[in-house]
Amino acid sequence: MPSAEIRLLGSPRFEIAGQDQPLPEKAYVLVAILAWAGGRHVPRSQIRTILWADSDRDKANASLRQLVARIHRVEQTAGIALLSIDGEAVGLTPDCRVDYADFLSVLDAPAGSVAQGCAALADLWRGPLLEGISFGEAALDEWLDARREQMRQLFLEAGRRLLEVEPAPEHADAQWRLAGHILDIDQTEEAAYRSMMRICIARGERGFALRLFGRCKRILAAELGVQPDRRTLALAAELRDREASRAGNAAKRPAPMDARPGREVPVVMVLSPVAAGPGETFARLAASLAEDITVGLTRFRRFTVVTAPAPGVMTLAENCREAGLSVFDIDYTVSLSLMPAGQGYRLAVRLSDAGNAEVLWGTNPEFTSPTVGDTLDRLIQLMVGTLVEVIDTRQAQLAMTSDHATAYALCAQGQRLLRRADLQSIRRAMKLFKQAMAQVPDYPLALTGMARAVSEESLVRGISEPDLLQQAVDLARRARELDPSDGRAMRGIGRACLYLRRYDESLAAFEAAFALNPGDADILSDYADALAHCGEPKRGLPLSRRAMELNPVQPDDYIWTLGSIHFQLGEYQAALDAVRPMEGNPATGRLLSACAARIGDRDLARRYSRLVRETYPRFEVESVRALVPNRNRADTDHLIDGLRLAGLT
């Protein structure tokens, strides 16, 4: 006789010899009633009371007879026996295996090994009882809901008992897998977090144990409005004591941003690279590329960057490692795969949302052995810049769509507003930075953003007094004190000092910013601009071009800087070609008119001059001396002569 299996946990299924077979939905409920009886026959009157409580006795009897007849027809067609009829009682035959009955048996069975118990529970759990089934009949649906909740509680209780056993090599993997299933059911279940934390500690992954505690704490606060219980808090305190003793004075340092209550910065995990090619060369190169990307991301100071846990801790995610990483409180994952391609290699890089496994960005460039040097280095920097831009964009979108955006998301949106360089956007950005600092006082990212906004307001409004620019310097210096490794704080100092005409101080700040993060396109572009204004356009030009290469979404000020450098070098056609994509921005009219006049295109020069007069009716060419912070008077005279040649006075 062929084997029959009925699955009631999760979406219901009826299989004969591994092939799906049709079965009425109420037949699945009947099987659930019989499975709950644990091998005993159930009176028809009890079945009627559950399945047709809203019908009268005669109609319920007829409905039950009809349902049993339909099941008998399935039995005859398949050559199997599902039901056992004993007078006025109904039961299941031994030939029909039901996962719900197996689940109940596991709960009642005497305790075996921890590994066996964890594996049995994890294997049987596929979801709630008869998931997705409802009948619109109050009594029956209430019975189903009650059984589902009862099953859920039984599963959690059995799981808690197994997870409270101290981890050992022979059962830690099984405990980890069961804990993952439990968190799928109830993400507030502390026993699962504690078990995972203990496993991480046993495997030397104390940092990930603390990450698990952080997730537990935030989930409990958000879902239940409570703190973890004393056992969880004690385990976390023990962990922190160990970390402090290992790090010496590290315990006295300010907590990293992601460890503060209501973590404000995203966490990005760079997963262990996959080397799909033969030999050690592929493995070493893949590991090197992963390390380069990790270091590149950390230099941006935008978020917390962590690497994947040890292989033993990854067993939860055997089937989908990225989706399983959500238990580590990770926001984004970066995965890398190196494989053979043509005469060289193909590097696949993917950025995913760790919460839902959505792929946000990916690329798979190819390269050959001769290009592994400088070309590959530039490729890594470009990929890192793109990863940062995609994450910043995602976080900025969160700020626009959430009433409770994190400080990081508010800053990301503020930074994007600053790229528009108009007074309204600058003021809106300031408001966002202030909101971020209200959430997290002395937040370096908000301080550097505010410094930039204050500096830009001074320039857009044409304020000659140095007060706002000095305020920008003070804000950026405060950010630098809080985070000396953040190149953006030095960039803020350099930018404000340039317009304060403190040239040496400006260049020193930019040199420090560049040393901290040579792959940050914003730093490169502003450094190029400062070099040009300080009379060194030839040094600034390659930096400006590099910034254009690294930033996949080039702000207007990048284009403006490149065009200005070309003009300063006497490369007027190149300057015009660089800036023309921005000609819709009224602020570019002066530079465009000077470029057109210098190449002898008088009609074009007059058109741009009219745009200048329409935008700035009171414009006088001599006012440029106050606006443009050139160190050398000759560079300013060069621009003024071009404006006069274009017909401006």
Side-chain angles (χ1 to χ4, degrees):
M1 182 177 291
S3 61
E5 181 177 356
I6 297 179
R7 297 183 183 180
L8 302 181
L9 306 185
S11 298
R13 293 177 63 183
F14 172 38
E15 294 181 353
I16 299 176
Q19 298 295 316
D20 286 348
Q21 303 293 330
L23 200 64
E25 284 192 340
K26 282 202 173 179
Y28 285 115
V29 183
L30 173 59
V31 172
I33 295 169
L34 302 179
W36 180 259
R40 300 185 303 275
H41 283 65
V42 178
R44 288 177 182 255
S45 58
Q46 183 178 342
I47 296 171
R48 290 194 306 266
T49 301
I50 296 170
L51 288 177
W52 293 283
D54 297 333
S55 301
D56 58 48
R57 179 186 176 88
D58 291 340
K59 187 175 181 180
N61 271 329
S63 297
L64 179 56
R65 285 195 300 271
Q66 185 180 22
L67 179 61
V68 171
R70 291 180 67 183
I71 295 173
H72 280 327
R73 285 196 293 271
V74 172
E75 292 175 326
Q76 292 168 0
T77 301
I80 61 170
L82 300 177
L83 301 182
S84 170
I85 308 297
D86 183 10
E88 283 298 303
V90 182
L92 291 173
T93 69
D95 298 324
C96 178
R97 181 176 179 181
V98 181
D99 61 350
Y100 186 34
D102 292 342
F103 172 78
L104 296 172
S105 297
V106 166
L107 296 178
D108 294 335
S113 73
V114 173
Q116 290 174 340
C118 290
L121 279 180
D123 289 339
L124 283 168
W125 179 266
R126 298 186 184 93
L129 178 67
L130 297 175
E131 186 175 21
I133 286 184
S134 64
F135 297 92
E137 301 171 24
L140 178 53
D141 288 342
E142 286 176 7
W143 184 88
L144 279 173
D145 288 341
R147 287 294 174 272
R148 287 166 180 154
E149 181 58 25
Q150 185 180 44
M151 176 189 169
R152 176 178 176 276
Q153 291 300 329
L154 288 171
F155 178 80
L156 292 176
E157 289 170 8
R160 289 187 198 109
R161 290 193 297 270
L162 291 166
L163 294 182
E164 289 299 343
V165 178
E166 285 294 322
E170 62 271 16
H171 60 242
D173 285 353
Q175 284 180 313
W176 184 277
R177 183 164 170 254
L178 177 60
H181 281 294
I182 287 177
L183 289 178
D184 285 340
I185 300 168
D186 184 356
Q187 61 179 343
T188 67
E189 185 54 60
E190 289 188 61
Y193 290 111
R194 283 195 299 272
S195 178
M196 286 179 158
M197 288 169 68
R198 287 193 292 265
I199 292 170
C200 284
I201 294 169
R203 290 174 172 170
E205 296 284 356
R206 292 185 176 87
F208 282 106
L210 285 173
R211 299 217 66 81
L212 286 162
F213 173 70
R215 173 179 166 82
C216 173
K217 186 176 180 181
R218 275 185 289 279
I219 290 294
L220 291 174
E223 298 292 327
L224 304 177
V226 299
Q227 288 287 312
D229 71 22
R230 58 179 179 80
R231 291 171 295 173
T232 311
L233 291 171
L235 186 57
E238 179 186 348
L239 266 170
R240 289 199 175 101
D241 289 343
R242 290 185 188 182
E243 289 296 295
S245 64
R246 291 177 63 201
N249 292 330
K252 299 178 183 179
R253 300 172 187 165
M257 193 62 63
D258 64 301
R260 298 179 184 180
R263 188 188 74 217
E264 298 301 337
V265 298
V267 179
V268 181
M269 176 181 281
V270 180
L271 301 176
S272 300
V274 176
E280 287 296 318
T281 302
F282 263 83
R284 286 196 299 269
L285 182 55
S288 175
L289 294 171
E291 182 65 19
D292 287 347
I293 288 179
T294 301
V295 171
L297 289 172
T298 59
R299 283 180 169 175
F300 277 84
R301 313 293 294 172
R302 300 282 215 280
F303 25 67
T304 298
V305 181
V306 297
T307 53
V313 182
M314 296 289 286
T315 53
L316 168 68
E318 291 169 350
N319 298 324
C320 182
R321 65 175 184 166
E322 292 185 34
L325 287 167
S326 61
V327 297
F328 286 122
D329 212 12
I330 305 300
D331 297 291
Y332 301 98
T333 60
V334 178
S335 62
L336 300 92
S337 299
L338 186 68
M339 60 202 81
Q343 301 300 314
Y345 311 88
R346 176 182 293 116
L347 174 64
V349 180
R350 183 173 62 187
L351 175 70
S352 303
D353 185 318
N356 57 20
E358 177 188 357
V359 177
L360 304 176
W361 175 80
T363 185
N364 57 344
E366 295 184 12
F367 56 93
T368 59
S369 297
T371 65
V372 169
D374 181 62
T375 301
L376 186 56
D377 180 62
R378 294 167 73 88
L379 178 64
I380 291 293
Q381 288 194 36
L382 177 60
M383 287 191 290
V384 167
T386 305
L387 289 168
V388 171
E389 176 67 26
V390 174
I391 293 171
D392 280 351
T393 300
R394 180 83 160 193
Q395 296 298 126
Q397 290 170 345
L398 292 176
M400 290 186 287
T401 58
S402 173
D403 293 332
H404 305 285
T406 65
Y408 178 91
L410 293 168
C411 289
Q413 175 61 5
Q415 296 286 0
R416 304 189 81 77
L417 285 170
L418 286 180
R419 292 181 176 181
R420 299 178 185 176
D422 62 82
L423 189 57
Q424 182 181 6
S425 296
I426 292 169
R427 294 273 174 82
R428 288 173 59 198
M430 282 184 175
K431 183 178 180 181
L432 293 172
F433 294 133
K434 288 177 181 177
Q435 290 176 7
M437 285 189 285
Q439 289 186 18
V440 184
D442 286 338
Y443 185 21
L445 185 59
L447 287 166
T448 54
M450 182 63 77
R452 181 74 176 196
V454 169
S455 179
E456 291 301 304
E457 180 180 5
S458 174
L459 302 180
V460 169
R461 291 173 58 191
I463 298 174
S464 57
E465 291 78 12
D467 295 357
L468 283 178
L469 290 170
Q470 185 56 51
Q471 182 184 347
V473 172
D474 294 340
L475 287 165
R477 282 178 175 163
R478 177 60 181 152
R480 182 192 60 185
E481 291 170 1
L482 292 166
D483 189 353
S485 299
D486 190 354
R488 291 166 301 173
M490 301 306 298
R491 172 197 174 210
I493 295 171
R495 175 78 168 174
C497 284
L498 174 65
Y499 283 89
L500 285 168
R501 271 62 171 181
R502 288 153 41 180
Y503 301 109
D504 292 338
E505 191 175 346
S506 173
L507 290 181
F510 277 118
E511 287 168 8
F514 179 73
L516 288 167
N517 193 352
D520 189 316
D522 290 344
I523 290 174
L524 289 172
S525 183
D526 277 0
Y527 190 12
D529 186 49
L531 285 167
H533 285 303
C534 290
E536 300 184 62
K538 289 184 178 180
R539 283 185 61 197
L541 183 58
L543 295 178
S544 178
R545 287 174 173 163
R546 184 77 176 122
M548 300 282 282
E549 292 174 4
L550 288 175
N551 197 331
V553 183
Q554 297 158 357
D556 286 352
D557 59 338
Y558 285 32
I559 299 171
W560 177 277
T561 296
L562 181 61
S564 298
I565 291 174
H566 278 304
F567 182 88
Q568 190 174 349
L569 290 170
E571 299 166 355
Y572 306 119
Q573 186 61 56
L576 187 64
D577 293 341
V579 182
R580 286 189 84 165
M582 276 181 64
E583 64 181 5
N585 186 333
T588 64
R590 293 188 294 263
L591 182 57
L592 286 168
S593 64
C595 290
R598 287 290 190 181
I599 64 172
D601 192 335
R602 296 187 179 278
D603 291 339
L604 188 61
R606 282 194 292 270
R607 179 159 72 86
Y608 288 133
S609 296
R610 285 196 298 271
L611 177 63
V612 173
R613 292 192 186 96
E614 291 169 1
T615 307
Y616 308 105
R618 298 181 181 179
F619 173 73
E620 296 178 358
V621 292
E622 281 298 320
S623 66
V624 170
R625 296 194 188 277
L627 296 173
V628 180
N630 284 332
R631 189 171 201 166
N632 299 329
R633 183 181 178 88
D635 290 331
T636 308
D637 290 342
H638 179 206
L639 176 58
I640 288 175
D641 290 344
L643 293 172
R644 284 177 173 152
L645 191 60
L648 293 167
T649 59

